[in-house]
Amino acid sequence: MTKRIVLIGGPSTGKTTLLNALKAKGHTCFDEVSREVTKAAQEEGIDQLFLTQPLLFSELLLERRIKQYQEASQLDQEFVFIDRGIPDVTAYMDFIGQDYPEKFKEACNVYKYDHIFVLPPWREIHTTDQERYESFEEALNIQEELIKTYKAYGYKPIEVPKADVENRVAFILENLDLCL
C-alpha cells in the first residue's frame, strides 16, 4: 500500500523546489493543485478566486486533493509525495474566518495521510507572484494555522530544517528510512 507523504508550509517555504528535487531523484510526486485552480480562474478573468469566492475556490481544491489522495491509492509505489493535503483547505478557510460545509472536516477525517513534513517560513526565500500574493507576515500566520489544523486532526508534523534543497531531501528520506 502506497504511503502518502505530505509537504506543508505557508506560502513560499520551498515546497515546490523540494518536490521537484524529489522528482529528480525518481520519486513519485503530486504537484500543488491551487496554482492550476488559480490559473484557470485567471483565464476566465478572475484575478484571485480565493479572495473573491473563497468557498468556491476551496471546494475546487477539496475535490482535486481528494482525487490526488485516491490516485495515490492506485499507485504501485512505496511512497508518493504530495504538495499540500486536504487539511490545508480548512486551515486556509479558518485563517480568513470563512465558514465552510461540514464535508470539509469530514474529508479531513476520512482521507488520512501517513506522514506530514512542514517547511518553516523562511524570509530569505519568500517571494510573491501571480498565484502567491501573501506577505511574509501573512505567511507566518498561515503557517501557525496549518500546524494547528494538522495537529487537530491527529498529525505530528515533522519540521524540515532550513537548508539547501539537497539537505532537505536527505532529511526527509532519512526520516522515512529511505536513505539513498
Side-chain angles (χ1 to χ4, degrees), residues 23-177:
K23 284 180 195 175
K25 289 193 171 292
H27 297 285
T28 302
C29 302
F30 289 169
D31 293 322
E32 162 65 283
V33 295
S34 67
R35 283 186 176 268
E36 66 186 54
V37 171
T38 299
K39 285 180 183 178
Q42 287 172 345
E43 289 172 5
E44 294 179 19
I46 303 168
D47 189 41
Q48 287 296 338
L49 184 59
F50 180 70
L51 296 177
T52 58
Q53 297 180 59
L55 186 56
L56 173 60
F57 180 84
S58 297
E59 286 174 340
L60 294 170
L61 283 185
L62 183 64
E63 288 172 13
R64 291 179 185 197
R65 290 201 176 128
I66 289 171
K67 184 178 176 188
Q68 281 184 326
Y69 184 97
Q70 293 167 335
E71 287 174 0
S73 299
Q74 298 170 5
L75 296 174
D76 186 23
Q77 302 286 323
E78 187 174 4
F79 295 95
V80 63
F81 294 93
I82 306 170
D83 190 344
R84 296 196 180 276
I86 293 167
D88 282 65
V89 179
T90 61
Y92 270 80
M93 295 296 273
D94 290 339
F95 171 71
I96 65 166
Q98 173 74 48
D99 291 331
Y100 46 89
E102 191 64 26
K103 70 179 181 180
F104 283 57
K105 293 178 184 176
E106 290 168 5
C108 292
N109 286 315
V110 169
Y111 302 101
K112 295 300 233 177
Y113 299 101
D114 297 287
H115 300 285
I116 308 297
F117 287 92
V118 59
L119 283 71
W122 192 352
R123 188 179 296 275
E124 290 76 16
I125 66 169
H126 183 82
T127 60
T128 58
D129 60 27
Q130 283 295 95
E131 293 88 33
R132 183 190 304 131
Y133 54 84
E134 298 92 345
S135 69
F136 184 72
E137 290 68 29
E138 289 172 312
L140 290 172
N141 294 330
I142 291 168
Q143 181 84 358
E144 287 178 23
E145 195 65 48
L146 286 166
I147 292 170
K148 181 176 89 174
T149 299
Y150 274 86
K151 285 182 176 180
Y153 286 106
Y155 296 105
K156 295 177 182 168
I158 301 167
E159 185 167 320
V160 178
K162 293 178 185 175
D164 63 57
V165 69
E166 288 304 314
N167 282 318
R168 285 179 144 193
V169 166
F171 176 85
I172 289 173
L173 296 178
E174 287 167 11
N175 275 275
L176 294 175
D177 294 322

